[in-house]
Amino acid sequence: MTFNKVLDNVNIYEAGKPIELVVREYGIGENDIIKLASNENPYGTCQTVVDAIARKACSSYVYPDDSMYELKEALASKFGVADKNVIIGAGSDQVIEFCVHGKCDANSKVLMAKTTFAMYEIYSKQTGATILKTPSDEHNLDEFREIYKKEGADIIFLCVPNNPLGECLDAAEVYKFLDEVDKDTLVILDGAYQEYAKYKDGAKEIVPSEVIAKYPNVIYLGTFSKAYALGGMRVGYGIASQEIITTLHKLRPPFNITTLSLEGAIEALKHEKYVEMCISKNFDEMKRYEEYATNKGFKYIPSYTNFITMYLDGYVSKEIAQKLLEKGVIVRDMTGYAFNAIRITIGTNEQNTKVFKVLDTILEK
Ligand SMILES: *Cc1c(COP(=O)(O)O)cnc(C)c1O
């Protein structure tokens, strides 16, 4: 059968391995598996959020509120914008998909950092667009400027902070860059880890209300999957000018967010203290990874997120990741990004202690 030719060029996204797979393939008990491969919040969903979702289950026979009034209201008030500036997606991933499909066709160009969130490239290639990447792995805005000046771009992705590397541009640098970009170029500021970044360093904080007041061509993306501990619920959002949001709505399938997901997200926004507690512990625990790496002589990338990317000089990262997997520790091998490194989500104190212990036994051999 012949398919849309552009798909010949599209890779299938490789998600972090699920716990279920490790149970099946290695016969390890579910409770002995530590999943630190997808940057979920290891402290779990806040109990009051779990209770609210459970209470809502009896409403599952009716379609969800497709206007998503309550969640939009809550987000609009949190960020100091209007409802009409907010769109909700099944994960911010879906909002990225709307953006790319709303803006690009086979003649388009999409500019991004060399080593960044894999879905940017996948969605872009689905439209047949050309991908432009900066030479440096990490975000270097001068490189973005140079390519943009020479080639132009229909979309520019800035991942602040960047997954899978963990580095983060300063907000002031980002704003200065936005000043220079043509108003017909859509700039996507992916803030999936902004909660972590701004906690660690106020200079990293992107303020969506300021961005959309000044830049009608920019969309800010946030998610409930990381700090808000609702990865399984698939809720994310975009904040932008009304023009962008209205256009993206043309691409949105009806009822794209389930009743339970909406309930979970609405409730999670009422428990910011819980989120703050998780973020604060995240950075306490990250220090242990930095010390561990230093003691072993491994370089790492200072991170503004809930994960750390550690180079494994003297070892082969793919082998180390596999050995960890066999012992029930799921991490992300970075060989696919041409890095001899692993990306580890920062776990709980107990999980991290076990990771170090298991790593010690693997590295000794
Ligand atoms: C996790 C992540 C997302 C989106 O996650 P969703 O679960 O789809 O909301 C977007 N961008 C980056 C960089 C991420 O790491």
Side-chain angles (χ1 to χ4, degrees):
M1 194 186 289
T2 56
F3 292 100
N4 187 335
K5 271 270 167 277
V6 297
L7 296 180
D8 293 349
N9 220 358
V10 175
N11 293 323
I12 294 174
Y13 180 75
E14 200 185 317
K17 293 197 167 54
I19 289 172
E20 292 82 349
L21 175 138
V22 182
V23 173
R24 276 198 311 273
E25 289 196 357
Y26 301 101
I28 301 169
E30 189 181 329
N31 296 326
D32 294 324
I33 294 169
I34 300 180
K35 181 174 192 266
L36 299 174
S38 299
N39 307 335
E40 292 122 333
N41 182 332
Y43 302 98
T45 310
C46 177
Q47 189 57 46
T48 40
V49 175
V50 174
D51 295 342
I53 294 169
R55 277 197 306 276
K56 200 74 183 176
C58 57
S59 301
S60 297
Y61 70 105
V62 277
Y63 279 116
D65 169 12
D66 193 52
S67 78
M68 307 184 210
Y69 176 81
E70 215 181 325
L71 180 56
K72 276 189 197 163
E73 270 287 309
L75 284 167
S77 116
K78 173 180 163 72
F79 288 107
V81 298
D83 295 20
K84 60 177 195 284
N85 298 119
V86 181
I87 186 167
I88 316 287
S92 55
D93 247 295
Q94 194 180 34
V95 185
I96 299 172
E97 183 185 5
F98 296 158
C99 289
V100 174
H101 285 259
K103 182 71 177 152
C104 291
D105 60 27
N107 298 315
S108 304
K109 291 175 184 171
V110 180
L111 174 58
M112 65 189 76
K114 182 176 169 195
T115 301
T116 189
F117 191 48
M119 291 312 300
Y120 304 159
E121 181 166 351
I122 292 176
Y123 289 127
S124 301
K125 283 186 170 172
Q126 289 170 357
T127 70
T130 301
I131 312 293
L132 307 171
K133 290 184 178 177
T134 59
S136 295
D137 289 296
E138 308 186 12
H139 286 65
N140 177 323
L141 286 177
D142 283 334
E143 293 177 359
F144 275 82
R145 284 184 178 96
E146 196 172 317
I147 295 174
Y148 183 64
K149 219 187 274 164
K150 215 155 80 199
E151 305 260 357
D154 297 278
I155 292 185
I156 300 174
F157 279 101
L158 297 180
C159 193
V160 280
N162 188 24
N163 176 18
L165 300 183
E167 98 279 5
C168 190
L169 293 166
D170 279 350
E173 296 176 84
V174 172
Y175 294 161
K176 183 158 173 283
F177 179 73
L178 295 179
D179 284 332
E180 302 163 24
V181 173
D182 188 88
K183 293 293 177 274
D184 196 41
T185 298
L186 176 63
V187 182
I188 301 178
L189 298 181
D190 187 343
Y193 304 93
Q194 262 289 314
E195 292 88 355
Y196 295 97
K198 70 182 185 200
Y199 177 94
K200 181 172 177 178
D201 180 353
K204 307 296 181 189
E205 180 177 8
I206 305 277
V207 181
S209 58
E210 289 175 9
V211 169
I212 70 167
K214 210 164 159 200
Y215 308 103
N217 58 319
V218 178
I219 185 165
Y220 173 88
L221 303 182
T223 180
F224 286 89
S225 300
K226 310 287 163 54
Y228 284 86
L230 285 173
M233 282 288 160
R234 314 301 305 122
V235 191
Y237 52 89
I239 300 175
S241 63
Q242 192 177 357
E243 184 196 12
I244 293 176
I245 298 296
T246 305
T247 305
L248 299 186
H249 269 289
K250 297 183 182 180
L251 292 145
R252 185 179 68 85
F255 311 117
N256 59 324
I257 313 298
T258 71
T259 303
L260 299 189
S261 300
L262 285 170
E263 183 69 11
I266 292 162
E267 189 65 24
L269 286 176
K270 297 176 187 163
H271 303 282
E272 300 276 5
K273 279 265 174 305
Y274 178 77
V275 177
E276 275 167 39
M277 181 274 288
C278 297
I279 294 172
S280 143
K281 285 189 178 168
N282 172 69
F283 286 109
D284 290 343
E285 290 298 313
M286 191 180 291
K287 287 199 192 93
R288 298 177 65 204
Y289 278 90
E290 293 170 350
E291 279 163 23
Y292 185 86
T294 304
N295 285 337
K296 295 279 176 200
F298 295 144
K299 285 186 292 262
Y300 62 87
I301 302 174
S303 171
Y304 292 87
T305 65
N306 66 342
F307 58 82
I308 189 161
T309 295
M310 192 159 78
Y311 295 89
L312 295 178
D313 290 0
Y315 298 88
V316 177
S317 67
K318 197 171 178 171
E319 290 173 14
I320 302 294
Q322 178 60 29
K323 285 179 183 162
L324 282 167
L325 188 65
E326 287 162 16
K327 296 206 151 58
V329 178
I330 318 175
V331 302
R332 190 87 174 185
D333 171 43
M334 298 272 292
T335 305
Y337 289 100
F339 274 61
N340 183 39
I342 51 174
R343 188 196 69 189
I344 309 180
T345 305
I346 309 298
T348 63
N349 184 278
E350 195 188 346
Q351 288 176 328
N352 299 331
T353 300
K354 186 168 164 198
V355 171
F356 299 140
K357 229 162 101 184
V358 173
L359 254 180
D360 275 342
T361 64
I362 292 171
L363 297 172
E364 262 167 27
K365 282 176 197 155

